[in-house]
Amino acid sequence: MNNASLLPIMALLPFLGALVPGLMIRAGRTACATFTAVPTILALVMLGLCAPDVFRGEVLQIEFEWLPALGLSVSFFLDGLGLLFAGMILFVGLLITLYARFYLSGDDPAGQFFTYLLLFQGAMLGIVLSNNILLLLIFWELTSLSSFLLIGYWTHLPEGRQGARMALTVTGMGGLSMIAGMLILGNIAGSYELTDILAAGDAIKSSDYYLPALLLILGGAFTKSAQFPFHFWLPHAMAAPTPVSAYLHSATMVKAGVFLMARMWPALAGTDAWFYAVGTVGLITMVLGALIALFKDDLKALLAFSTVSHLGLLTMMLGFGTEAAAIGAVFHIINHLTFKAALFMTAGIVDHEAHTRDIKRLGGLRHLMPITFVIAVIAGLSMAGIPLFNGFLSKELMLEEAAHTDWRGSHYAVPILATLGALLSVAYSFRFISHTFFGPVRDDYPAKPHDPNFGMWAAPGLLVVLVLLIGIFPQATVGPLVELAATAVVGHELHHWHDLKIWHGVTPALIMSAIAVLGGLILLALHRPLERLWNAVPRPEAKVIFDHVVGWAVAGSDWIAHKTHNGAISRYLAIFVVSTLALGAIAASGGGLAPATRALLPVPPLAWIGFLLLVVAAIAVVLLHRERFLSLILISIVGLGVSGGFVYLSAPDLALTQISVETVTIMLMLLALHFLPKSTPAESGIFRRVRDGAIALGVGGAVASLTFAFLLRDFSSISEFHLTQSKVGGGGTNVVNVILVDFRGYDTFGEIIVLGIAGLIIYALMHALLDGPAARRLRNWEFTQERSRDRHPMLMVIATRVMLPMTAMVGVYIFLRGHNEPGGGFVAGLIIAIALLMQYMASGFGWAQERQRIEYHAMIGWGVAIAGLTGTAAWLFGKPFLTSSFGYFHIPPIEEFELATAMAFDLGVFLTVLGAVMLMLYSLSRIARYAGETVNTAAMDYDPSQGIRETTEEER
Amino acid sequence: MSHWIIAPVILPALLAPLIGFVMRHDKVLSRSASVAGCVALVVIALGLLNMAADGTVHVYRLGDWPAPFGIVLVLDRLSALMVLLTSVLALIVLLHVIGTDWDQRGRHFHALYQFQLMGICGAFLTGDAFNLFVFFEVLLIASYGLMIHGGGQARLRAGLQYVVMNLGGSTLFLFALGTLYAATGTLNIADLAVKVREIPLEDAAILRVAAILLLVVFAIKAALFPVQFWLPGTYANAPAPVAALFAIMTKVGAYAILRFYTVIFGPDVPAIGDMPELWIKIGALITIAVGAFGVLGARRLMPLIAFSVVGSMGTLLLAIAVFTPQSVTAALYYLLHSTFAAAALFLIGDLVTTRRGASADSLLPAPPIANNGLLAAAFFIAAIGMAGMPPISGFLGKLLILDAFQGQAHQAIAWAAILVTSLMVIVGFARAGSLIFWKAEGVVAVDGHGALTETPAPVPVAGPSQPNVGIAFVAIGACLSMLFLLSIFAGPVTSYLTATSAELFDPAAYVDAVLSGGN
């Protein structure tokens, strides 16, 4: 089997493994930790199987298609750099699992912890194995997310939550910038496969888009690797449990940025832009981080800033862009990992045992915690860069490179600053050791410190052994690995490889090193006065700034979003209308208008009168709209005017429909008005009214001119077909009705459903209202208005009763003639509804309801069902939905008549319309009864047939 | 001609009255019928997708009248996809409704729900502009009812906004259709596609007005600036499962834009040119910003989610506005994703809100809730989906969209808008999530001065009595799985979508199928 096929399994293992700890925790922390280690160990074994191939110089590659449209594939490869990082991730992961087993207390949800840890491990492994930069981006963001979870692990601690959010914000920002950078890069290279991109280095560097791509990608790398000015999140991430700090925030995740720069080296490095951007930022970060670290009292904060400083060192080395610097960087990655992880674990042990990690409250621990002390000293000396410890070797390489680096013509800037960084590094390292472990034993530790059990110091112990081994036998231990990884970084065979040695003779680097050690010791001796000075000098506090920026952003966003979305419906509408108007005007001005082809018709006096009536009524509505009753009447005049217009323009069907709709609507609205205030309060000022008036006039003018524009122009339309086919194809001479029930019966089907739903909603709304505060208001409703004393006048009762059969007849007639003459189910339904409405108005709801046998819900249901089933009946004949059929029948003694399936459909329309209107009426009357309206049982106030003047009203 | 094409309309249209008028008095009966209807709809939609997947455009001539004189339904890849999306979402949301007893808080829920589905499916399937209007009315009026389901002052007030805004939209729709008819003499989409291309720019003023008015109409549905104002209030105050279903309603607007401005007013139409592209882009960019501001500045969870929907609609329309096959593919993928992501968030928000009792969805500390861990995990996944973080589909969707902008006009500003707002959304969701799920762990009580007493070992408060709430968790799980499935099967999905967008940009097959006498 090809070893390359192990790569996806390796990358996937931690994710699969992440499912286990959440369950295994039920078997205890040890079992849980053991099962967390299993996928790590398996992956490590697989990596071991692949290692020989890589050392032979092969690059293992495997690819599966995922999203070819984008160029995203599940594509992994393993070369020297990947091998180094994968090894580190898995190896340290294993140690951290062991350490965390003993570090976490029984109260902590360890199952969650190990799940998150494995998620992170998988994500990190994915980054270093990805051969597709889009895939890499996915894993990249996953590390941000899992780090968010791990930092916020102790959810009850505000620092944890804030630190988690800060880390997510900063690294998330970088991740987004990197997305853009990677997309540009892929576009330049013509592929998102890393191996293709690395091969296209020259094309990339000469591209116009090189600089934006570089800067955007560096945005991702710098934020992840906590480079200035994005370094501030890392110290706050220290709110995480110490195993997390050791793993994510010193050994692996923060190195992802460094890894990325190393990975992209062949494609991006070697230009001036690269040197100045990467080198300078690294240099500043190195010095600044070391300086701040010196004055931190929290052990973890000290280590965090030291990590920032070392990440700066690595970044700077990669920024130099030389082969030797690349070698040094790779070597330092290994060394930093060993000593810094050990130091973090040491700090965690101190915290765990002494219950504090404030350096000011510690000291003298060397006697109480001898093992911890030894570990801390070895790791600390390595961090300081003392010979025989591995940190020394890579720091020498750094100083060597710095010594002959030219920065904008200056030969001294880089070496001096690099020495300064090293010097500060010596100072804080010694401070870490001396202030924690040396000095007198105190009697005020929060808890009695002692060495932890073996499980807890085993991991750092192993790491410091490595520190020494590498420090003393560099070539034998890691030499080949460094060579291999450095080769992978630069992308070609190394031209200047020298075996790693402890002694290079007296070189500039050695002298700089010596200065650093001496200077560092002096600084440490002067620490107290310097600290006073440091505390006296005002400094920007990153967290405060960050919190302010986020605070402002949140408050500003809140302001913008809520000021504009505050529910002011009239403003929403004004914006909608004005922008529609503007867009319409812009659109119209972009095209020309064909010449008018129709002449204006003469306007007879009758039309003028109708027109004037309309205008006057409309203006009156505007002027009198606060008098609601009056404006309803005026609206009905407008409606009638429009109906008259339809008659005048020979559209009897429309006129008929318009009149019936108008009547029903006005009647229902009158009933509803009963429960509403009778006048509208004046709420808007003069400015608003003028503004709204202007908008209304503008829109009215626009609609009028648009209508005018197309009324003056002939156009051919599909209606010709409808006219010719109405009789022969649809079986009716009334083309409007045939359109409604046949040509476009489907539309009608939809519209009756709309009407039916409206009925249902009014019913549901009525119920909802009667459960809420509106119900209380209704209960206390005072019918203060002057009311007529005869609610159900005899004259009206008799009149409506007489009209009922007549109206019903008209309804049936209108229904039946619909297919050939103006009429149809819709109008018929409304007419019958009007007839019934009149009964309700005349005799009251209680009386009428008793005589009503069909449930309105059912009427709507039957209507929709009949219409729908009529349509589906066509399926039986293999025809599409709503295909109509008609025939002429002759049954003596009746004249020949026509039957059409469309009439059944029309019956559905009829029933739905009737049901919906009546359900609305029913809902209104329910409200009325709620409001304390009395229910009458007699038909009229004074019933002559009873002979006595009596009003039968009973409270309900 | 297969009658199955009309089944997604007829099935709910006949089921709804049955539920509303025969079964409405029995909870179990109406629920069973509603679920059965949704399951059947999913099955039918799968069948339709299968029919459409080979690229054949199926036309269903209602009343057996030839196009463009009668109404036609058209099943192509796009409409099949949208119907499937609707049906799957509907089933998931329905399960949640049943699990949380939302259907018992008012009248006629299931009937309205089925009518709602009828309206949505009808809008996706129709091949006629006026019929689209009719189905807009059906889906709108049903949505009015669902929106105010359960009542309550805030909800009714928000409902009024929604109704008023959409009545404005409907009126404009009629104006626009009238204008369009005056310019072309037809309202059949395929016929329009032909006629519109025959009109020279010199005579196109009326046509252009029609095109832009229609754009505004669809923009209202799709919550595009400057007509997005209705959405946050509506979605935040609607019953949460209804808001989840409404995730598809905004997509109806996006669908209509996609259909109309490729097949009819495509970039190749001389009379229209790049007018739609320009205005959609401007609107979409501002919409994205509005959404991000709302998410970052949110004081309550439901408005936060609602604003994230606004932002996602902006992103979606920005992608559509490029009007290239590649960008439309990206947009469609993002459309699928954002529908499920929004729905999942609303469903999760529902459980959180009911469990927090009096604190409801306010972003203020409150004691921890029942199932805190499970809900936190679900929220985390849904939120990273909505924010467009990996590994789920939101990230792929955003990558596709960003990639589609490579080398196009306005690339820099579009990229900046998408990426910067992503950060704002990430921060907004992180704040809300850490407050609701994490900070709660430290809260037990609030003392007289409003300061919080913190303690590491709180006791979760019991959730409300929802005996079937397990079903709701299944629904949420299903919704989140859709995100994962979209991500895992991104390859096959996008290849279907690529074919879909190719169809849109080469409407010849569509036009031929509708206007020729063939099947």
Side-chain angles (χ1 to χ4, degrees):
Chain A
M1 188 177 76
N2 185 353
N3 281 334
S5 56
L6 292 175
L7 298 180
I9 305 176
M10 267 164 63
L12 204 59
L13 260 177
F15 290 111
L16 291 178
L19 302 172
V20 178
L23 290 172
M24 279 315 289
I25 189 64
R26 292 169 187 275
R29 274 185 293 162
T30 308
C32 185
T34 313
F35 273 84
T36 307
V38 169
T40 315
I41 293 171
L42 280 175
L44 209 49
V45 169
M46 291 181 198
L47 192 69
L49 290 175
C50 299
D53 296 343
V54 180
F55 273 101
R56 269 200 305 277
E58 284 178 34
V59 175
L60 300 181
Q61 259 179 308
I62 188 160
E63 183 181 348
F64 303 96
E65 224 171 47
W66 184 6
L67 184 44
L70 183 61
L72 168 63
S73 61
V74 181
S75 159
F76 294 108
F77 83 131
L78 186 72
D79 65 351
L81 188 65
L83 180 71
L84 170 68
F85 267 88
M88 282 169 25
I89 292 159
L90 293 169
F91 173 66
V92 181
L94 207 54
L95 296 184
I96 293 293
T97 308
L98 171 68
Y99 179 77
R101 156 66 190 86
F102 295 96
Y103 180 85
L104 292 178
S105 84
D107 294 336
D108 296 324
Q112 261 178 43
F113 181 86
F114 287 117
T115 297
Y116 296 163
L117 203 67
L118 280 175
L119 283 180
F120 166 76
Q121 194 182 79
M124 197 63 213
L125 210 53
I127 291 182
V128 302
L129 294 180
S130 292
N131 186 23
N132 183 294
I133 52 174
L134 299 180
L135 185 68
L136 188 148
L137 278 175
I138 290 180
F139 288 118
W140 185 273
E141 297 283 32
L142 277 180
T143 59
S144 297
L145 289 172
S146 47
S147 139
F148 172 76
L149 293 173
L150 281 166
I151 300 172
Y153 174 68
W154 281 322
T155 55
H156 56 277
L157 296 181
E159 308 86 65
R161 297 194 298 267
Q162 290 160 10
R165 286 208 305 271
M166 188 193 276
L168 182 68
T169 309
V170 177
T171 57
M173 181 172 70
L176 292 168
S177 132
M178 208 169 97
I179 291 174
M182 290 298 198
L183 286 173
I184 298 177
L185 191 65
N187 198 32
I188 302 173
S191 160
Y192 290 116
E193 292 296 299
L194 201 47
T195 31
D196 295 342
I197 290 170
L198 296 185
D202 293 333
I204 291 167
K205 284 174 219 167
S206 58
S207 160
D208 290 342
Y209 295 104
Y210 166 71
L211 197 60
L214 174 70
L215 294 179
L216 289 168
I217 292 174
L218 288 180
F222 286 173
T223 47
K224 201 73 156 184
S225 281
Q227 295 300 297
F228 178 84
F230 307 113
H231 62 285
F232 58 89
W233 69 266
L234 184 57
H236 292 284
M238 293 298 146
T242 304
V244 175
S245 311
Y247 192 28
L248 274 69
H249 304 125
S250 82
T252 53
M253 188 182 85
V254 290
K255 298 252 173 69
V258 174
F259 167 81
L260 189 80
M261 288 185 270
R263 183 85 282 172
M264 290 293 173
W265 214 81
L268 298 176
T271 61
D272 275 357
W274 170 274
F275 171 74
Y276 285 110
V278 180
T280 314
V281 168
L283 185 61
I284 295 173
T285 312
M286 176 174 77
V287 177
L288 196 71
L291 181 66
I292 301 174
L294 183 57
F295 298 103
K296 283 290 167 189
D297 288 335
D298 178 358
L299 288 182
K300 277 178 77 176
L302 187 155
L303 291 175
F305 277 103
S306 134
T307 305
V308 169
S309 168
H310 280 273
L311 291 168
L313 185 156
L314 289 169
T315 305
M316 180 183 75
M317 300 269 273
L318 290 170
F320 287 163
T322 63
E323 206 181 284
I327 296 169
V330 169
F331 191 27
H332 194 68
I333 287 170
I334 301 175
N335 297 337
H336 180 249
L337 167 101
T338 51
F339 67 71
K340 189 54 68 62
L343 284 171
F344 264 109
M345 292 192 212
T346 314
I349 291 173
V350 170
D351 189 18
H352 200 258
E353 304 304 335
H355 288 200
T356 181
R357 40 175 219 252
D358 186 344
I359 213 164
K360 292 252 159 61
R361 302 179 66 185
L362 293 167
L365 293 182
R366 71 181 184 284
H367 300 297
L368 300 169
M369 310 173 76
I371 301 174
T372 314
F373 167 65
V374 171
I375 293 171
V377 166
I378 298 174
L381 290 177
S382 179
M383 178 159 77
I386 304 300
L388 295 185
F389 300 97
N390 61 0
F392 168 74
L393 298 172
S394 43
K395 187 174 283 186
E396 286 294 280
L397 292 178
M398 182 275 284
L399 292 173
E400 182 70 40
E401 275 305 295
H404 47 77
T405 299
D406 210 48
W407 198 88
R408 291 192 77 93
S410 159
H411 298 296
Y412 298 106
V414 178
I416 289 177
L417 284 173
T419 313
L420 179 63
L423 186 151
L424 290 165
S425 169
V426 170
Y428 69 67
S429 302
F430 280 123
R431 174 158 184 254
F432 180 88
I433 298 170
S434 64
H435 289 194
T436 312
F437 293 97
F438 287 90
V441 174
R442 303 165 64 146
D443 50 11
D444 60 347
Y445 304 116
K448 179 94 180 103
H450 56 79
D451 266 327
N453 55 23
F454 172 71
M456 206 155 165
W457 64 258
L462 180 62
L463 285 170
V464 293
V465 169
L466 288 177
V467 166
L468 283 171
L469 282 177
I470 298 171
I472 299 167
F473 311 106
Q475 181 58 29
T477 46
V478 293
L481 185 60
V482 171
E483 187 182 356
L484 189 68
T487 310
V489 171
V490 298
H492 52 75
E493 286 300 310
L494 296 172
H495 303 304
H496 311 286
W497 171 255
H498 307 287
D499 283 358
L500 302 174
K501 285 184 295 196
I502 316 185
W503 182 249
H504 292 275
V506 181
T507 56
L510 191 68
I511 297 167
M512 287 154 82
S513 233
I515 297 172
V517 173
L518 281 176
L521 287 172
I522 295 169
L523 268 194
L524 184 61
L526 294 175
H527 189 261
R528 259 168 212 284
L530 282 176
E531 190 177 31
R532 274 197 295 277
L533 181 66
W534 175 260
N535 289 334
V537 178
R539 295 180 304 279
E541 181 57 52
K543 175 147 181 359
V544 176
I545 298 172
F546 177 83
D547 285 349
H548 269 105
V549 170
V550 173
W552 287 331
V554 169
S557 301
D558 182 19
W559 190 81
I560 294 173
H562 292 102
K563 277 283 172 197
T564 51
H565 293 75
N566 59 355
I569 185 69
S570 57
R571 195 184 54 225
Y572 296 179
L573 283 175
I575 294 173
F576 157 56
V577 169
V578 170
S579 37
T580 308
L581 203 57
L583 283 173
I586 294 170
S589 65
L593 207 50
T597 51
R598 290 184 186 176
L600 288 174
L601 295 174
V603 187
L606 189 65
W608 273 118
I609 293 170
F611 176 73
L612 277 179
L613 200 64
L614 261 179
V615 171
V616 169
I619 292 175
V621 170
V622 173
L623 293 177
L624 299 172
H625 75 277
R626 295 217 161 76
E627 296 299 319
R628 293 180 173 184
F629 179 74
L630 211 54
S631 52
L632 261 185
I633 301 300
L634 288 166
I635 288 172
S636 71
I637 295 179
V638 175
L640 286 175
V642 173
S643 313
F646 286 144
V647 174
Y648 175 73
L649 295 168
S650 328
D653 258 293
L654 291 185
L656 205 53
T657 314
Q658 177 74 23
I659 289 177
S660 6
V661 168
E662 199 68 37
T663 313
V664 170
T665 318
I666 296 289
M667 280 166 103
L668 287 174
M669 281 166 87
L670 280 173
L671 288 172
L673 191 61
H674 188 47
F675 309 104
L676 295 170
K678 302 296 173 286
S679 57
T680 312
E683 280 172 330
S684 41
I686 184 75
F687 168 75
R688 277 272 293 277
R689 275 185 262 169
V690 170
R691 182 199 74 181
D692 293 350
I695 294 175
L697 285 177
V699 171
V703 173
S705 23
L706 184 64
T707 316
F708 206 62
F710 59 69
L711 287 183
L712 284 179
R713 279 154 189 86
D714 284 308
F715 66 100
S716 65
S717 78
I718 55 171
S719 53
E720 227 22 66
F721 175 89
H722 294 143
L723 289 171
T724 54
Q725 285 291 315
S726 176
K727 181 70 178 166
V728 286
T733 50
N734 176 6
V735 67
V736 175
N737 183 270
V738 177
I739 288 177
L740 282 177
V741 298
D742 200 338
F743 292 125
R744 299 193 72 96
Y746 186 58
D747 280 345
T748 309
F749 182 60
E751 289 297 357
I752 60 168
I753 283 177
V754 170
L755 205 55
I757 298 173
L760 292 191
I761 291 175
I762 290 171
Y763 176 79
L765 181 61
M766 179 263 296
H767 272 277
L769 276 177
L770 297 185
D771 286 341
R776 287 193 291 280
R777 210 171 309 144
L778 274 177
R779 279 196 184 289
N780 294 312
W781 191 257
E782 291 277 352
F783 294 96
T784 48
Q785 264 81 6
E786 188 64 30
R787 308 180 68 191
S788 161
R789 228 155 308 149
D790 38 346
R791 290 177 61 200
H792 308 295
M794 184 176 74
L795 204 60
M796 186 173 172
V797 174
I798 307 275
T800 53
R801 215 69 89 237
V802 173
M803 278 172 73
L804 177 64
M806 282 163 35
T807 326
M809 272 259 284
V810 172
V812 173
Y813 172 67
I814 291 273
F815 176 79
L816 287 177
R817 77 201 285 257
H819 218 45
N820 294 311
E821 302 287 332
F826 189 85
V827 181
L830 288 172
I831 289 173
I832 303 281
I834 292 169
L836 293 174
L837 264 171
M838 287 193 304
Q839 309 308 314
Y840 284 74
M841 288 177 97
S843 294
F845 198 86
W847 182 87
Q849 185 64 25
E850 264 180 33
R851 284 148 187 85
Q852 159 71 38
R853 303 231 163 71
I854 308 170
E855 215 195 341
Y856 305 125
H857 293 271
M859 212 186 273
I860 299 177
W862 275 111
V864 174
I866 289 176
L869 291 174
T870 310
T872 51
W875 291 349
L876 301 177
F877 304 96
K879 292 289 187 182
F881 187 66
L882 283 174
T883 305
S884 69
S885 146
F886 57 93
Y888 297 89
F889 302 87
H890 187 84
I891 307 170
I894 311 173
E895 274 185 61
E896 187 186 67
F897 61 95
E898 178 194 0
L899 279 179
T901 55
M903 292 176 82
F905 180 77
D906 223 10
L907 179 66
V909 176
F910 168 81
L911 284 176
T912 315
V913 170
L914 183 58
V917 173
M918 296 314 285
L919 194 56
M920 293 172 200
L921 180 68
Y922 171 75
S923 304
L924 279 172
S925 76
R926 277 292 302 270
I927 294 176
R929 268 187 271 172
Y930 222 80
E933 184 109 28
T934 50
V935 176
N936 64 312
T937 47
M940 52 195 109
D941 299 334
Y942 172 64
D943 189 345
S945 64
Q946 302 288 317
I948 330 155
R949 186 184 164 83
E950 177 182 61
T951 308
T952 321
E953 288 189 343
E954 62 186 40
E955 287 287 331
R956 184 170 178 270
Chain B
M1 174 157 24
S2 162
H3 296 303
W4 288 112
I5 299 173
I6 200 173
V9 178
I10 297 300
L11 173 76
L14 292 180
L15 190 58
L18 196 64
I19 294 174
F21 311 119
V22 181
M23 306 175 173
R24 73 190 156 108
H25 300 295
D26 190 84
K27 183 169 88 172
V28 177
L29 185 60
S30 46
R31 281 179 176 180
S32 312
S34 203
V35 171
C38 282
V39 171
L41 199 58
V42 172
V43 174
I44 292 168
L46 280 170
L48 292 180
L49 188 84
N50 192 37
M51 269 170 70
D54 63 355
T56 322
V57 177
H58 298 262
V59 179
Y60 190 78
R61 290 170 216 293
L62 285 151
D64 216 11
W65 294 108
F69 310 108
I71 300 170
V72 290
L73 300 189
V74 183
L75 180 79
D76 62 356
R77 288 192 180 98
L78 181 60
S79 50
L81 179 75
M82 297 306 291
V83 170
L84 180 63
L85 177 66
T86 308
S87 64
V88 173
L89 180 73
L91 182 59
I92 289 174
V93 171
L94 186 62
L95 290 179
H96 184 95
V97 166
I98 291 172
T100 50
D101 284 336
W102 260 105
D103 54 347
Q104 301 304 306
R105 299 196 203 176
R107 306 293 167 116
H108 285 311
F109 182 87
H110 293 291
L112 289 174
Y113 197 79
Q114 294 297 329
F115 276 132
Q116 176 79 81
L117 296 182
M118 172 212 167
I120 297 172
C121 292
F124 288 142
L125 283 168
T126 189
D128 186 283
F130 187 81
N131 191 242
L132 183 69
F133 168 78
V134 171
F135 277 93
F136 263 39
E137 290 309 297
V138 174
L139 67 88
L140 277 176
I141 195 133
S143 75
Y144 301 155
L146 289 175
M147 157 78 213
I148 56 171
H149 177 77
Q153 214 170 347
R155 185 168 299 149
L156 289 177
R157 185 173 299 153
L160 184 70
Q161 278 181 32
Y162 177 63
V163 172
V164 170
M165 197 68 197
N166 277 299
L167 283 180
S170 298
T171 313
L172 184 64
F173 202 169
L174 272 185
F175 284 6
L177 287 177
T179 314
L180 189 59
Y181 189 73
T184 60
T186 186
L187 286 174
N188 175 290
I189 291 177
D191 201 24
L192 280 169
V194 176
K195 295 273 183 350
V196 157
R197 284 171 172 77
E198 291 165 357
I199 298 179
L201 185 61
E202 305 86 73
D203 298 349
I206 294 177
L207 181 71
R208 288 168 63 89
V209 171
I212 210 81
L213 294 188
L214 275 177
L215 185 61
V216 178
V217 172
F218 300 146
I220 293 179
K221 283 266 93 33
L224 190 65
F225 180 87
V227 283
Q228 89 297 349
F229 294 101
W230 61 273
L231 189 141
T234 305
Y235 281 33
N237 290 300
V242 171
L245 182 72
F246 281 9
I248 193 76
M249 298 271 282
T250 44
K251 308 304 185 290
V252 177
Y255 163 84
I257 289 177
L258 202 50
R259 178 70 82 192
F260 274 64
Y261 296 90
T262 53
V263 176
I264 303 177
F265 306 115
D268 59 319
V269 175
I272 305 295
D274 62 353
M275 182 176 70
E277 177 187 326
L278 180 70
W279 292 110
I280 299 174
K281 265 186 191 163
I282 293 174
L285 284 170
I286 302 176
T287 311
I288 295 178
V290 167
F293 284 131
V295 170
L296 189 58
R299 292 176 224 165
R300 287 168 50 213
L301 180 62
M302 288 311 203
L304 183 147
I305 300 172
F307 272 108
S308 76
V309 172
V310 173
S312 75
M313 287 312 295
T315 311
L316 171 61
L317 286 159
L318 189 61
I320 289 178
V322 184
F323 285 116
T324 62
Q326 197 197 356
S327 82
V328 168
T329 305
L332 287 172
Y333 185 83
Y334 190 77
L335 183 151
L336 298 176
H337 154 79
S338 62
T339 305
F340 286 113
L345 280 170
F346 278 117
L347 297 183
I348 295 162
D350 179 42
L351 292 189
V352 170
T353 305
T354 46
R355 279 164 164 65
R356 289 181 95 213
S359 298
D361 66 337
S362 73
L363 292 181
L364 295 170
I369 54 178
N371 313 104
N372 196 13
L374 193 57
L375 282 171
F379 181 80
F380 185 71
I381 295 172
I384 61 178
M386 193 46 122
M389 299 273 277
I392 45 181
S393 42
F395 186 70
L396 299 182
K398 279 203 175 151
L399 277 187
L400 280 165
I401 292 175
L402 292 173
D403 197 45
F405 259 100
Q406 293 245 35
Q408 297 291 337
H410 312 110
Q411 176 184 352
I413 186 167
W415 277 26
I418 292 177
L419 293 172
V420 171
T421 56
S422 287
L423 183 67
M424 292 164 75
V425 172
I426 291 170
V427 175
F429 272 111
R431 284 169 53 85
S434 93
L435 196 139
I436 290 177
F437 300 107
W438 283 359
K439 199 161 185 177
E441 299 279 337
V443 176
V444 279
V446 179
D447 68 21
H449 307 290
L452 298 166
T453 348
E454 303 228 346
T455 163
V459 188
V461 293
S465 155
Q466 287 174 332
N468 302 320
V469 77
I471 303 177
F473 277 102
V474 170
I476 290 173
C479 221
L480 295 177
S481 328
M482 296 311 296
L483 297 181
F484 281 102
L485 290 176
L486 271 179
S487 179
I488 295 168
F489 297 105
V493 170
T494 46
S495 73
Y496 180 89
L497 298 179
T498 307
T500 308
S501 46
E503 228 169 53
L504 285 173
F505 284 93
D506 180 19
Y510 183 99
V511 172
D512 286 350
V514 173
L515 295 183
S516 73
N519 87 32

